[in-house]
């Protein structure tokens, strides 16, 4: 186990026992590690901050119930992914009420931005491709989605992904 992992495991143990300072340090570490993953999914800083806040609140509230502290990172990433999906469902529900650009993981404004640099058709094609890719990824098993997220969003090396996902 690397020195970083041992340090995080120690902080996690202290946080689980009720140490508020350790919980604060853990929240800072988690936020730093999750930010790139959430931002690459939403492409929206404000939405990323909202999802991170919801994720951290859930983590703080449930950290004592974590059964295997060695599975901490996959557990935190699943919480974040769940919050992203909840947000996506909410945005999709809102978009049904008011027709507009397809809203894929907070990309409504991104699609409009692309329209300014090319054409509306290019932006619509891009949004459709992202929607297709998103639906294909959703068809993968949870383990395979976790592996993709850890590799491409967190940019972890394969050996660390293998250790985290067993």
């Amino acid at each position: 186990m690397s020195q970083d992992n041992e340090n995080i495991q120690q902080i996690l143990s202290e946080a689980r026992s009720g140490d508020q300072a350790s919980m604060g340090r853990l929240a800072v570490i988690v936020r730093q590690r999750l930010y790139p993953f959430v931002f690459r999914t939403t492409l929206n800083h404000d939405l990323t901050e909202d999802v991170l806040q919801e994720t951290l609140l859930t983590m703080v509230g449930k950290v004592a119930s974590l059964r295997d502290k060695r599975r901490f990172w996959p557990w935190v990433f699943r919480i974040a992914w769940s919050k992203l999906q909840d947000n996506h469902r909410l945005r999709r529900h809102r978009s049904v009420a008011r027709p507009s650009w397809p809203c894929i993981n907070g990309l409504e404004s991104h699609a409009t931005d692309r329209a300014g640099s090319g054409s509306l058709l290019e932006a619509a094609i891009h949004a459709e491709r992202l929607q297709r890719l998103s639906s294909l990824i959703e068809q993968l098993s949870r383990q395979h989605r976790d592996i993709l997220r850890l590799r491409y969003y967190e940019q972890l090396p394969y050996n660390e992904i293998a250790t985290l996902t067993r």
Side-chain angles (χ1 to χ4, degrees):
M1 197 181 291
S2 71
Q3 184 64 27
D4 267 352
N5 261 349
E6 289 176 9
N7 187 28
I8 289 170
Q9 294 298 321
Q10 178 63 32
I11 293 170
L12 178 59
S13 294
E14 293 168 3
R16 289 178 65 171
S17 67
D19 182 22
Q20 294 299 317
S22 294
M23 185 64 79
R25 286 195 308 271
L26 184 63
V28 168
I29 292 168
V30 168
R31 186 193 179 290
Q32 288 173 343
R33 188 153 179 192
L34 282 181
Y35 188 91
F37 162 69
V38 175
F39 181 73
R40 287 181 184 163
T41 305
T42 65
L43 298 176
N44 180 316
H45 291 288
D46 293 333
L47 182 56
T48 297
E49 291 296 331
D50 290 345
V51 169
L52 286 173
Q53 184 176 14
E54 291 174 20
T55 301
L56 291 173
L57 286 171
T58 301
M59 180 203 73
V60 167
K62 295 184 177 183
V63 73
S65 67
L66 178 62
R67 287 179 274 170
D68 182 3
K69 67 181 185 177
R70 293 173 299 167
R71 305 280 301 148
F72 175 72
W73 286 114
W75 177 72
V76 168
F77 274 89
R78 276 193 298 275
I79 292 171
W81 186 248
S82 174
K83 298 300 178 186
L84 284 163
Q85 288 176 326
D86 291 347
N87 188 278
H88 176 71
R89 277 189 219 90
L90 180 61
R91 287 175 160 274
R92 187 172 49 198
H93 178 70
R94 286 181 186 160
S95 70
V96 169
R98 58 174 175 81
S100 67
W101 279 94
C103 184
I104 301 122
N105 293 335
L107 292 176
E108 183 174 15
S109 62
H110 182 66
T112 311
D113 291 345
R114 284 181 56 91
S117 64
S119 72
L120 291 175
L121 179 60
E122 287 176 15
I125 290 170
H126 178 72
E128 185 177 325
R129 285 181 180 160
L130 287 174
Q131 187 175 26
R132 250 192 265 150
L133 179 62
S134 178
S135 68
L136 289 172
I137 290 173
E138 287 176 11
Q139 293 174 13
L140 294 173
S141 70
R142 178 182 294 265
Q143 182 180 15
H144 288 117
R145 286 190 312 255
D146 288 345
I147 291 168
L148 285 175
R149 278 193 302 279
L150 292 170
R151 178 64 184 156
Y152 293 103
Y153 290 115
E154 279 303 304
Q155 299 173 348
L156 296 179
Y158 291 116
N159 61 346
E160 191 170 336
I161 293 170
T163 302
L164 289 171
T165 59
R166 294 183 186 186

